[in-house]
């Protein structure tokens, strides 16, 4: 019998894909959600659910009881406390989600800071763990789906920043493979990427082709990007972090690596395949 794996963020892009990937491998899952309605929706064959909050250690202790493995999102208030709860529950392996920027160790960047803080908690926990630093997700394109539904022009920040964006199902497949063979990946830092580096305008062109439409692309200047994030209510520390990454060039997510194929035996999915699967999100109802 495979180990029972607790999956945090089970309603999200990564956690939801991971639940599916573990079920496909016949590995038992406990999906952590915050709302009872999500628990009712996700419970099913091979999937238990637990209602808990990553910022409430008592609820997480209950969610971890009796499980053997844990997939942990980064950046919550008390990451060492979460690892202590995992150790107390007898968890034997943790996969810590992180991000590429953690490699810089730059604690002045608010995003890097929470990734590094999470990785440090893993290292200091003395539990066996694997860090996964994925490149930017293809699902980030859903942030501009509304522009495609509402018109024929897509306006985006950082037009010259290419990313080897990653399908969440491929990220989930990598993480599921780690849980299937944890000793092999203990102590490793895995950097899964998508199959090609794409500029924002190239992503928009691929979505246009999938939809059979013409879409115009407009790139914001860095100053316009700052104004747009301010207008959206993005906290100042994250505005500064994104400008540091993409305007000052501190984060490069364009390198394509072989990690997905190396770990899963299957080449990573293309952005065109992701867009075809998500065409309805870009289509007026
Ligand atoms: N986007 C990228 O390109 C990228 C790249 C590298 C790393 N990452 C990291 O990947 C993480 C996951 O990404 P994603 O796309 O899967 O995010 P997502 O779709 O927004 O999902 C976030 C999940 O976290 C849950 N959650 C939020 N606060 C919680 C709390 N206090 N306690 C328990 N659960 C909580 C949410 O539950 P509810 O449904 O209850 O809200 C949801 O299931 C990001 O947060 C980021 O740190 C992202």
């Amino acid at each position: 019998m495979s180990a029972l794996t607790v999956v945090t963020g089970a309603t999200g892009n990564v956690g939801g894909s991971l639940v599916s990937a573990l079920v496909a491998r016949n590995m038992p899952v406990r999906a952590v959600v915050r709302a009872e309605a999500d628990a009712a929706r996700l419970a099913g064959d091979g999937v238990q659910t637990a209602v808990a909050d990553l910022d409430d250690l008592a609820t997480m202790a209950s969610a971890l009881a009796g499980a053997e493995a844990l997939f942990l999102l980064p950046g919550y208030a008390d990451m060492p406390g979460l690892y202590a709860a995992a150790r107390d529950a007898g968890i034997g392996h943790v996969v810590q989600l992180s991000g590429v920027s953690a490699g810089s160790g730059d604690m002045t960047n608010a995003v890097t800071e929470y990734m590094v803080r999470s990785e440090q908690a893993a290292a200091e926990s003395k539990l066996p763990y694997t860090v996964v630093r994925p490149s930017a997700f293809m699902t980030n394109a859903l942030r501009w789906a509304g522009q495609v539904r509402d018109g024929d022009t897509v306006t985006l920040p950082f037009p010259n920043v290419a990313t080897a964006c990653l399908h969440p199902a491929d990220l989930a497949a990598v993480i599921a493979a780690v849980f299937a063979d944890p000793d092999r990946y203990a102590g490793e830092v895995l950097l899964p990427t998508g199959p090609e580096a794409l500029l924002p305008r190239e992503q928009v062109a691929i979505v246009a082709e999938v939809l059979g439409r013409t879409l115009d692309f407009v790139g914001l200047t860095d100053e316009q990007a700052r104004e747009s994030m301010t207008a959206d209510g993005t906290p100042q520390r994250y505005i500064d972090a994104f400008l540091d990454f993409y305007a000052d060039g501190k984060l490069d997510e364009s390198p394509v690596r072989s990690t997905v194929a190396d770990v899963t035996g299957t080449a990573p999915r293309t952005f065109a395949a992701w867009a075809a699967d998500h065409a309805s999100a870009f289509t007026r109802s």
Side-chain angles (χ1 to χ4, degrees), residues 74-105:
Y76 289 89
D78 184 359
M79 297 305 294
L82 287 167
Y83 274 89
R87 203 175 43 242
D88 290 349
I91 294 289
H93 195 95
V94 180
V95 172
Q96 176 62 63
L97 185 65
S98 183
V100 173
S101 77
S104 76

Side-chain angles (χ1 to χ4, degrees), residues 8-16 32-35 38 41 52-56 60 71 73-76 97-100 111 114-115 132-140 143 166 168 171 246 253:
T8 59
T11 58
N13 295 309
V14 180
V32 174
V33 296
R34 287 192 290 181
D38 290 324
R41 187 171 52 81
D53 192 306
L54 282 155
D55 284 328
D56 179 342
M60 282 304 299
F71 167 70
L73 296 179
Y76 289 89
L97 185 65
S98 183
V100 173
V111 173
Y114 81 70
M115 300 295 187
V132 178
R133 296 178 183 163
S135 57
F137 304 158
M138 291 178 181
T139 35
N140 295 347
R143 294 173 189 158
L166 176 64
L171 173 54
Y246 304 124
E253 293 182 292

Side-chain angles (χ1 to χ4, degrees), residues 5-194:
T5 301
V6 172
V7 175
T8 59
T11 58
N13 295 309
V14 180
S17 297
L18 180 58
V19 169
S20 302
L22 293 169
V23 167
R25 282 177 173 264
N26 288 318
M27 294 169 68
V29 177
R30 185 179 293 152
V32 174
V33 296
R34 287 192 290 181
E36 293 286 355
D38 290 324
R41 187 171 52 81
L42 291 183
D45 267 359
V47 182
Q48 310 172 11
T49 54
V51 177
D53 192 306
L54 282 155
D55 284 328
D56 179 342
L57 291 182
T59 61
M60 282 304 299
S62 305
L64 291 163
E68 285 121 323
L70 168 65
F71 167 70
L72 189 54
L73 296 179
Y76 289 89
D78 184 359
M79 297 305 294
L82 287 167
Y83 274 89
R87 203 175 43 242
D88 290 349
I91 294 289
H93 195 95
V94 180
V95 172
Q96 176 62 63
L97 185 65
S98 183
V100 173
S101 77
S104 76
D106 177 5
M107 300 300 267
T108 68
N109 180 297
V111 173
T112 304
E113 186 274 337
Y114 81 70
M115 300 295 187
V116 170
R117 187 164 51 77
S118 304
E119 293 191 13
Q120 281 174 346
E124 289 163 9
S125 73
K126 306 280 188 268
L127 280 173
Y129 71 97
T130 305
V131 165
V132 178
R133 296 178 183 163
S135 57
F137 304 158
M138 291 178 181
T139 35
N140 295 347
L142 293 171
R143 294 173 189 158
W144 43 269
Q147 294 189 56
V148 178
R149 290 195 301 272
D150 295 346
D152 296 322
T153 301
V154 180
T155 303
L156 293 177
F158 313 121
N160 299 317
V161 175
T163 56
C165 55
L166 176 64
H167 197 303
D170 289 321
L171 173 54
V174 166
I175 297 166
V178 172
F179 283 127
D181 193 358
D183 292 345
R184 177 168 170 191
Y185 295 104
E188 287 205 27
V189 177
L190 301 175
L191 292 111
T193 76

